[in-house]
Protein backbone atom coordinates (compact mmCIF):
# COMPACT_ATOMS: atom_id res chain seq x y z
CA UNK A 1 0.00 0.00 0.00
CA UNK A 2 1.52 3.30 -1.10
CA UNK A 3 -1.33 5.62 -2.04
CA UNK A 4 -4.54 4.77 -0.27
CA UNK A 5 -8.08 6.00 -0.96
CA UNK A 6 -10.72 5.60 1.77
CA UNK A 7 -14.31 5.87 0.49
CA UNK A 8 -16.82 6.46 3.29
CA UNK A 9 -14.03 8.03 5.38
CA UNK A 10 -16.42 10.11 7.49
CA UNK A 11 -18.13 7.14 9.13
CA UNK A 12 -17.58 5.28 12.38
CA UNK A 13 -14.74 3.13 11.04
CA UNK A 14 -13.49 5.42 8.26
CA UNK A 15 -12.82 8.39 10.55
CA UNK A 16 -10.45 6.34 12.73
CA UNK A 17 -9.01 4.26 9.88
CA UNK A 18 -7.97 7.51 8.17
CA UNK A 19 -6.02 8.61 11.26
CA UNK A 20 -4.41 5.19 11.72
CA UNK A 21 -3.40 4.77 8.06
CA UNK A 22 -1.98 8.33 7.98
CA UNK A 23 0.14 7.48 11.05
CA UNK A 24 1.52 4.41 9.26
CA UNK A 25 1.72 5.61 5.64
CA UNK A 26 1.95 9.41 5.89
CA UNK A 27 -0.66 12.15 5.58
CA UNK A 28 -0.14 12.75 1.86
CA UNK A 29 -0.49 9.06 1.02
CA UNK A 30 -3.98 8.60 2.46
CA UNK A 31 -6.89 10.33 0.72
CA UNK A 32 -10.14 10.54 2.68
CA UNK A 33 -13.31 10.65 0.55
CA UNK A 34 -17.00 10.82 1.41
CA UNK A 35 -20.28 12.19 0.12
CA UNK A 36 -19.80 15.48 1.96
CA UNK A 37 -18.09 18.37 0.22
CA UNK A 38 -15.66 19.75 2.80
CA UNK A 39 -12.03 20.58 3.56
CA UNK A 40 -11.66 17.17 5.18
CA UNK A 41 -12.89 15.04 2.29
CA UNK A 42 -12.49 14.61 -1.42
CA UNK A 43 -16.04 14.22 -2.75
CA UNK A 44 -16.81 10.69 -3.95
CA UNK A 45 -20.29 9.25 -4.37
CA UNK A 46 -19.53 5.53 -4.66
CA UNK A 47 -22.54 5.08 -6.93
CA UNK A 48 -20.76 7.32 -9.48
CA UNK A 49 -18.03 5.41 -11.34
CA UNK A 50 -16.52 8.67 -12.66
CA UNK A 51 -16.03 10.06 -9.13
CA UNK A 52 -13.95 7.03 -8.14
CA UNK A 53 -12.00 6.92 -11.38
CA UNK A 54 -11.11 10.64 -11.18
CA UNK A 55 -9.74 10.30 -7.64
CA UNK A 56 -7.80 7.11 -8.41
CA UNK A 57 -6.17 8.79 -11.44
CA UNK A 58 -5.49 12.13 -9.72
CA UNK A 59 -3.90 10.66 -6.58
CA UNK A 60 -2.26 7.62 -8.26
CA UNK A 61 -4.12 5.30 -5.91
CA UNK A 62 -3.03 1.67 -5.51
CA UNK A 63 -5.24 0.63 -2.58
CA UNK A 64 -8.93 1.37 -1.96
CA UNK A 65 -10.69 0.93 1.39
CA UNK A 66 -14.34 0.94 0.35
CA UNK A 67 -16.32 1.62 3.53
CA UNK A 68 -19.42 3.22 1.97
CA UNK A 69 -22.51 1.30 3.09
CA UNK A 70 -25.98 1.61 4.58
CA UNK A 71 -26.00 -0.24 7.91
CA UNK A 72 -28.48 -2.92 8.90
CA UNK A 73 -31.30 -1.06 10.66
CA UNK A 74 -31.36 1.80 8.10
CA UNK A 75 -31.11 -0.67 5.20
CA UNK A 76 -34.36 -2.32 6.33
CA UNK A 77 -36.06 1.08 5.79
CA UNK A 78 -34.18 1.95 2.57
CA UNK A 79 -33.46 -1.32 0.73
CA UNK A 80 -32.90 0.23 -2.69
CA UNK A 81 -30.39 2.74 -1.32
CA UNK A 82 -28.61 -0.10 0.52
CA UNK A 83 -28.29 -2.04 -2.74
CA UNK A 84 -27.17 0.98 -4.75
CA UNK A 85 -24.44 1.95 -2.27
CA UNK A 86 -23.38 -1.53 -1.14
CA UNK A 87 -23.55 -3.44 -4.42
CA UNK A 88 -23.70 -1.04 -7.41
CA UNK A 89 -21.13 1.12 -5.60
CA UNK A 90 -18.86 -1.87 -5.05
CA UNK A 91 -19.04 -2.86 -8.73
CA UNK A 92 -17.89 0.68 -9.59
CA UNK A 93 -14.98 0.36 -7.16
CA UNK A 94 -14.01 -3.06 -8.54
CA UNK A 95 -14.19 -1.87 -12.15
CA UNK A 96 -11.90 1.09 -11.40
CA UNK A 97 -9.59 -1.25 -9.45
CA UNK A 98 -9.45 -3.62 -12.42
CA UNK A 99 -8.52 -0.81 -14.80
CA UNK A 100 -5.99 0.92 -12.51
CA UNK A 101 -4.58 -2.18 -10.73
CA UNK A 102 -5.69 -1.29 -7.21
CA UNK A 103 -6.11 -3.60 -4.22
CA UNK A 104 -9.55 -3.38 -2.60
CA UNK A 105 -10.80 -3.88 0.97
CA UNK A 106 -14.60 -3.92 1.36
CA UNK A 107 -15.77 -5.05 4.79
CA UNK A 108 -18.37 -7.74 5.16
CA UNK A 109 -20.18 -8.32 8.43
CA UNK A 110 -21.77 -10.77 10.85
CA UNK A 111 -24.82 -9.60 8.86
CA UNK A 112 -23.71 -11.87 6.00
CA UNK A 113 -25.12 -14.78 8.02
CA UNK A 114 -28.73 -15.76 8.67
CA UNK A 115 -30.94 -18.02 10.76
CA UNK A 116 -29.88 -21.21 8.96
CA UNK A 117 -26.19 -20.48 9.73
CA UNK A 118 -24.80 -22.44 12.71
CA UNK A 119 -24.96 -19.72 15.43
CA UNK A 120 -22.21 -21.02 17.72
CA UNK A 121 -18.60 -21.17 16.55
CA UNK A 122 -19.92 -20.14 13.14
CA UNK A 123 -17.47 -21.67 10.65
CA UNK A 124 -15.55 -19.63 8.07
CA UNK A 125 -17.22 -21.51 5.22
CA UNK A 126 -20.87 -22.16 5.98
CA UNK A 127 -24.49 -21.44 5.02
CA UNK A 128 -25.11 -17.75 4.18
CA UNK A 129 -28.81 -17.03 3.68
CA UNK A 130 -29.36 -13.67 5.43
CA UNK A 131 -32.91 -12.36 5.96
CA UNK A 132 -31.93 -8.65 5.88
CA UNK A 133 -31.23 -6.29 2.97
CA UNK A 134 -27.91 -5.44 4.63
CA UNK A 135 -27.02 -9.13 4.66
CA UNK A 136 -28.02 -9.52 1.00
CA UNK A 137 -25.63 -6.68 0.10
CA UNK A 138 -22.85 -8.20 2.22
CA UNK A 139 -23.09 -11.71 0.73
CA UNK A 140 -23.24 -10.18 -2.74
CA UNK A 141 -20.22 -8.04 -1.88
CA UNK A 142 -18.24 -11.09 -0.79
CA UNK A 143 -19.13 -12.91 -4.03
CA UNK A 144 -18.31 -9.91 -6.22
CA UNK A 145 -14.98 -9.37 -4.48
CA UNK A 146 -14.01 -13.03 -4.93
CA UNK A 147 -15.24 -12.93 -8.56
CA UNK A 148 -13.07 -9.92 -9.45
CA UNK A 149 -10.10 -11.69 -7.86
CA UNK A 150 -10.50 -15.03 -9.64
CA UNK A 151 -11.69 -13.60 -12.99
CA UNK A 152 -9.55 -10.47 -13.31
CA UNK A 153 -6.80 -10.87 -10.69
CA UNK A 154 -7.89 -7.87 -8.62
CA UNK A 155 -6.32 -8.16 -5.15
CA UNK A 156 -9.51 -8.12 -3.07
CA UNK A 157 -9.47 -8.98 0.65
CA UNK A 158 -11.83 -8.39 3.52
CA UNK A 159 -13.09 -9.36 6.95
CA UNK A 160 -16.54 -10.01 8.38
CA UNK A 161 -16.59 -7.38 11.10
CA UNK A 162 -18.65 -7.97 14.21
CA UNK A 163 -20.30 -4.98 15.96
CA UNK A 164 -17.60 -2.32 16.29
CA UNK A 165 -17.39 -0.35 19.54
CA UNK A 166 -15.68 3.04 19.52
CA UNK A 167 -15.57 6.48 21.11
CA UNK A 168 -14.69 8.87 18.27
CA UNK A 169 -17.53 8.80 15.70
CA UNK A 170 -20.99 7.50 16.53
CA UNK A 171 -22.22 4.47 14.56
CA UNK A 172 -24.46 5.01 11.54
CA UNK A 173 -27.68 3.06 12.17
CA UNK A 174 -26.77 -0.56 12.83
CA UNK A 175 -28.20 -3.26 15.08
CA UNK A 176 -25.09 -3.37 17.26
CA UNK A 177 -25.12 0.42 17.92
CA UNK A 178 -26.58 -0.26 21.39
CA UNK A 179 -23.18 -1.53 22.53
CA UNK A 180 -21.72 1.93 21.81
CA UNK A 181 -24.67 4.03 23.03
CA UNK A 182 -24.70 2.23 26.41
CA UNK A 183 -21.26 3.66 27.29
CA UNK A 184 -22.26 7.25 26.45
CA UNK A 185 -25.46 6.90 28.51
CA UNK A 186 -23.57 5.29 31.40
CA UNK A 187 -21.33 8.37 31.63
CA UNK A 188 -23.97 11.00 30.95
CA UNK A 189 -27.05 9.62 32.79
CA UNK A 190 -25.97 6.46 34.64
CA UNK A 191 -28.82 4.59 32.93
CA UNK A 192 -29.63 3.02 29.56
CA UNK A 193 -32.72 1.65 27.83
CA UNK A 194 -31.61 -1.30 25.71
CA UNK A 195 -33.31 -2.02 22.35
CA UNK A 196 -31.92 -5.58 22.23
CA UNK A 197 -33.29 -8.31 24.49
CA UNK A 198 -31.50 -10.02 27.35
CA UNK A 199 -29.88 -13.26 26.17
CA UNK A 200 -29.15 -12.02 22.63
CA UNK A 201 -25.47 -12.80 22.09
CA UNK A 202 -23.50 -11.08 19.31
CA UNK A 203 -19.83 -10.83 18.34
CA UNK A 204 -18.21 -7.47 19.09
CA UNK A 205 -14.81 -5.79 18.74
CA UNK A 206 -13.12 -2.63 20.02
CA UNK A 207 -12.07 -0.17 17.31
CA UNK A 208 -8.26 -0.49 17.76
CA UNK A 209 -8.55 -4.20 16.95
CA UNK A 210 -10.86 -3.50 13.99
CA UNK A 211 -8.31 -1.09 12.52
CA UNK A 212 -5.54 -3.63 12.99
CA UNK A 213 -7.62 -6.29 11.26
CA UNK A 214 -8.38 -4.05 8.27
CA UNK A 215 -4.72 -3.14 7.84
CA UNK A 216 -3.20 -6.54 8.65
CA UNK A 217 -5.30 -8.45 6.13
CA UNK A 218 -4.25 -5.98 3.40
CA UNK A 219 -0.58 -6.21 4.39
CA UNK A 220 -0.58 -10.04 4.59
CA UNK A 221 1.52 -12.10 2.18
CA UNK A 222 -0.94 -13.16 -0.51
CA UNK A 223 0.72 -16.58 -0.70
CA UNK A 224 -0.52 -17.36 2.82
CA UNK A 225 -4.19 -16.58 2.01
CA UNK A 226 -6.45 -19.54 1.33
CA UNK A 227 -9.54 -17.35 1.78
CA UNK A 228 -10.10 -13.76 0.69
CA UNK A 229 -13.67 -12.49 0.96
CA UNK A 230 -14.29 -12.53 3.77
CA UNK A 231 -12.55 -13.69 6.94
CA UNK A 232 -14.48 -14.19 10.20
CA UNK A 233 -12.87 -11.99 12.90
CA UNK A 234 -14.07 -11.48 16.45
CA UNK A 235 -12.81 -10.34 19.85
CA UNK A 236 -15.66 -11.08 22.26
CA UNK A 237 -19.27 -12.21 22.43
CA UNK A 238 -21.80 -10.92 24.98
CA UNK A 239 -25.47 -10.20 25.56
CA UNK A 240 -26.76 -6.87 26.97
CA UNK A 241 -26.72 -8.22 30.58
CA UNK A 242 -23.05 -9.17 30.43
CA UNK A 243 -22.20 -5.77 28.96
CA UNK A 244 -24.24 -3.92 31.59
CA UNK A 245 -22.56 -5.93 34.37
CA UNK A 246 -19.11 -5.01 33.02
CA UNK A 247 -20.12 -1.33 33.16
CA UNK A 248 -21.57 -1.75 36.69
CA UNK A 249 -18.16 -2.95 37.89
CA UNK A 250 -16.84 0.52 36.98
CA UNK A 251 -20.02 2.55 37.72
CA UNK A 252 -21.97 0.67 40.46
CA UNK A 253 -25.01 3.01 40.26
CA UNK A 254 -25.51 2.25 36.53
CA UNK A 255 -28.94 0.76 35.72
CA UNK A 256 -30.26 -0.75 32.49
CA UNK A 257 -33.83 -1.52 31.47
CA UNK A 258 -35.26 -2.82 28.20
CA UNK A 259 -37.52 -1.48 25.47
CA UNK A 260 -36.91 -4.01 22.73
CA UNK A 261 -37.14 -2.68 19.15
CA UNK A 262 -38.70 -5.51 17.06
CA UNK A 263 -36.82 -4.79 13.82
CA UNK A 264 -33.40 -4.63 15.50
CA UNK A 265 -34.22 -7.65 17.66
CA UNK A 266 -35.22 -9.75 14.62
CA UNK A 267 -31.99 -8.77 12.91
CA UNK A 268 -29.88 -9.57 15.98
CA UNK A 269 -31.55 -12.96 16.39
CA UNK A 270 -30.67 -13.86 12.80
CA UNK A 271 -26.94 -13.23 13.36
CA UNK A 272 -24.40 -15.61 14.96
CA UNK A 273 -23.79 -15.75 18.71
CA UNK A 274 -20.08 -16.25 18.19
CA UNK A 275 -17.98 -16.77 15.07
CA UNK A 276 -15.00 -19.09 14.70
CA UNK A 277 -12.15 -16.90 13.43
CA UNK A 278 -9.44 -19.57 13.32
CA UNK A 279 -8.86 -19.16 9.55
CA UNK A 280 -7.91 -15.48 10.05
CA UNK A 281 -5.64 -16.49 12.94
CA UNK A 282 -3.94 -19.18 10.83
CA UNK A 283 -3.71 -17.37 7.47
CA UNK A 284 -2.64 -13.85 8.52
CA UNK A 285 -1.98 -14.04 12.30
CA UNK A 286 -5.15 -12.24 13.40
CA UNK A 287 -5.16 -11.78 17.17
CA UNK A 288 -7.34 -9.27 19.06
CA UNK A 289 -5.86 -7.38 22.00
CA UNK A 290 -8.95 -6.08 23.87
CA UNK A 291 -11.48 -8.11 25.86
CA UNK A 292 -14.73 -6.85 27.41
CA UNK A 293 -13.06 -5.73 30.64
CA UNK A 294 -10.16 -3.80 29.07
CA UNK A 295 -12.43 -2.26 26.41
CA UNK A 296 -14.96 -1.15 29.04
CA UNK A 297 -12.30 0.56 31.18
CA UNK A 298 -10.93 2.38 28.13
CA UNK A 299 -14.35 3.37 26.69
CA UNK A 300 -15.52 4.80 30.01
CA UNK A 301 -12.26 6.68 30.57
CA UNK A 302 -12.27 8.31 27.12
CA UNK A 303 -15.99 9.18 27.16
CA UNK A 304 -15.73 10.61 30.70
CA UNK A 305 -12.87 12.86 29.54
CA UNK A 306 -14.96 14.04 26.57
CA UNK A 307 -17.90 14.66 28.89
CA UNK A 308 -15.77 16.76 31.26
CA UNK A 309 -14.63 18.87 28.31
CA UNK A 310 -18.26 19.32 27.18
CA UNK A 311 -17.60 17.49 23.92
CA UNK A 312 -20.58 15.13 24.17
P1 LIG B 1 -20.99 4.38 8.75
O1 LIG B 1 -22.45 4.35 8.42
O2 LIG B 1 -20.58 4.97 10.04
O3 LIG B 1 -20.19 5.12 7.60
C1 LIG B 1 -20.46 4.90 6.25
C2 LIG B 1 -19.94 6.09 5.47
O4 LIG B 1 -20.27 5.89 4.10
C3 LIG B 1 -20.57 7.43 5.90
O5 LIG B 1 -19.57 8.37 6.17
C4 LIG B 1 -21.41 7.83 4.70
O6 LIG B 1 -21.47 9.23 4.47
C5 LIG B 1 -20.67 7.13 3.57
N1 LIG B 1 -21.53 6.91 2.41
C6 LIG B 1 -22.84 6.57 2.37
N2 LIG B 1 -23.27 6.56 1.10
C7 LIG B 1 -22.21 6.88 0.32
C8 LIG B 1 -22.02 7.05 -1.06
N3 LIG B 1 -23.03 6.89 -1.93
N4 LIG B 1 -20.80 7.37 -1.52
C9 LIG B 1 -19.77 7.57 -0.66
N5 LIG B 1 -19.89 7.45 0.67
C10 LIG B 1 -21.10 7.11 1.15
O7 LIG B 1 -20.46 2.88 8.61
P2 LIG B 1 -19.23 2.20 9.36
O8 LIG B 1 -19.74 1.66 10.63
O9 LIG B 1 -18.05 3.08 9.35
O10 LIG B 1 -19.01 0.94 8.41
C11 LIG B 1 -18.01 0.92 7.40
C12 LIG B 1 -18.07 -0.45 6.74
O11 LIG B 1 -17.85 -1.47 7.71
C13 LIG B 1 -19.42 -0.77 6.08
O12 LIG B 1 -19.20 -1.57 4.95
C14 LIG B 1 -20.11 -1.59 7.13
O13 LIG B 1 -21.09 -2.44 6.60
C15 LIG B 1 -18.95 -2.36 7.70
N6 LIG B 1 -19.22 -2.88 9.03
C16 LIG B 1 -19.37 -2.00 10.07
C17 LIG B 1 -19.64 -2.52 11.33
C18 LIG B 1 -19.81 -1.62 12.52
O14 LIG B 1 -20.18 -2.11 13.59
N7 LIG B 1 -19.53 -0.32 12.40
C19 LIG B 1 -19.75 -3.90 11.51
C20 LIG B 1 -19.64 -4.75 10.41
C21 LIG B 1 -19.33 -4.23 9.17
N1 LIG C 1 -22.76 -2.90 13.14
C1 LIG C 1 -23.33 -3.42 11.94
C2 LIG C 1 -24.81 -3.30 11.96
O1 LIG C 1 -25.34 -3.53 13.02
C3 LIG C 1 -22.95 -4.87 11.77
O2 LIG C 1 -22.53 -5.08 10.49
O3 LIG C 1 -25.39 -3.01 10.97
Amino acid sequence: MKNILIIGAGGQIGSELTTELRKRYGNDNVIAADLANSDKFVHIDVTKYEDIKAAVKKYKIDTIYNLAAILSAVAEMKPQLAWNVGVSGLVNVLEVAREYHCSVFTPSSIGAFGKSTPPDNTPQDTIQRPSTMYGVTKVTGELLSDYYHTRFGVDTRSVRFPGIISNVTLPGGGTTDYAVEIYYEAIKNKKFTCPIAKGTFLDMMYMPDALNAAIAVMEADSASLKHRNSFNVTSMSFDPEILANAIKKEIPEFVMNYDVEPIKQAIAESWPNKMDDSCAREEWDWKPTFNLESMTKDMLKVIAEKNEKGLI
Side-chain angles (χ1 to χ4, degrees):
M1 296 195 278
K2 292 190 205 80
N3 291 317
I4 302 166
L5 174 66
I6 306 174
I7 302 174
Q12 187 197 7
I13 297 175
S15 55
E16 294 196 57
L17 185 63
T18 302
T19 308
E20 186 60 33
L21 284 170
R22 283 182 175 158
K23 258 192 241 161
R24 299 188 192 201
Y25 290 92
N27 281 353
D28 295 343
N29 300 83
V30 180
I31 306 300
D34 209 301
L35 276 178
N37 270 315
S38 76
D39 292 349
K40 277 173 71 181
F41 302 115
V42 169
H43 168 79
I44 289 183
D45 178 344
V46 78
T47 66
K48 305 274 186 326
Y49 169 85
E50 291 300 334
D51 284 3
I52 306 163
K53 181 171 165 174
V56 164
K57 273 175 74 176
K58 180 171 177 185
Y59 299 104
K60 301 187 174 19
I61 296 299
D62 56 59
T63 306
I64 303 173
Y65 278 87
N66 170 32
L67 306 181
I70 305 300
L71 296 193
S72 59
V74 179
E76 288 307 289
M77 305 303 148
K78 299 177 179 175
Q80 192 174 14
L81 178 67
W83 179 268
N84 288 343
V85 175
V87 178
S88 306
L90 172 58
V91 174
N92 289 335
V93 170
L94 291 168
E95 275 298 312
V96 173
R98 172 159 86 102
E99 196 178 345
Y100 291 91
H101 308 289
C102 302
S103 303
V104 180
F105 174 89
T106 308
S108 186
S109 160
I110 48 175
F113 297 116
K115 277 196 166 234
S116 49
T117 302
D120 296 307
N121 293 319
T122 302
Q124 172 65 40
D125 302 307
T126 186
I127 302 164
Q128 293 185 260
R129 303 287 292 177
S131 53
T132 63
M133 190 60 194
Y134 181 66
V136 169
T137 67
K138 289 302 176 191
V139 175
T140 310
E142 292 186 12
L143 292 171
L144 281 168
S145 297
D146 271 349
Y147 171 77
Y148 271 75
H149 174 66
T150 50
R151 176 78 177 84
F152 301 116
V154 179
D155 184 4
T156 56
R157 307 168 184 203
S158 62
V159 297
R160 294 179 183 131
F161 277 136
I164 304 300
I165 296 171
S166 67
N167 50 50
V168 173
T169 305
L170 288 171
T175 303
T176 59
D177 293 11
Y178 92 88
V180 178
E181 288 155 4
I182 192 172
Y183 287 104
Y184 282 84
E185 290 305 308
I187 292 295
K188 286 197 287 191
N189 302 314
K190 310 277 183 274
K191 60 180 186 206
F192 178 64
T193 302
C194 187
I196 300 296
K198 186 176 178 171
T200 312
F201 280 78
L202 291 168
D203 283 297
M204 300 279 176
M205 184 180 292
Y206 198 26
M207 185 62 89
D209 283 325
L211 302 179
N212 281 336
I215 296 170
V217 73
M218 292 306 280
E219 288 179 341
D221 179 358
S222 64
S224 67
L225 300 182
K226 295 188 193 86
H227 297 85
R228 279 181 171 265
N229 303 284
S230 300
F231 285 93
N232 287 359
V233 286
T234 185
S235 300
M236 58 192 98
S237 165
F238 53 72
D239 84 327
E241 288 291 302
I242 293 173
L243 177 55
N245 285 333
I247 292 174
K248 270 187 206 160
K249 275 194 193 150
E250 307 298 322
I251 305 175
E253 63 273 39
F254 175 70
V255 284
M256 183 171 78
N257 52 37
Y258 291 91
D259 183 7
V260 173
E261 289 179 28
I263 291 182
K264 284 188 178 174
Q265 182 61 27
I267 296 173
E269 282 175 14
S270 76
W271 290 354
N273 300 330
K274 187 172 189 340
M275 292 185 288
D276 172 1
D277 62 4
S278 51
C279 288
R281 290 171 187 263
E282 280 157 25
E283 293 177 39
W284 48 276
D285 294 330
W286 157 246
K287 197 171 173 210
T289 56
F290 281 90
N291 60 22
L292 177 57
E293 193 187 4
S294 54
M295 175 181 76
T296 296
K297 283 184 195 299
D298 199 54
M299 279 292 282
L300 293 174
K301 179 172 157 286
V302 175
I303 295 169
E305 284 165 4
K306 282 178 143 188
N307 197 37
E308 275 163 29
K309 291 180 188 155
L311 297 174
I312 55 169

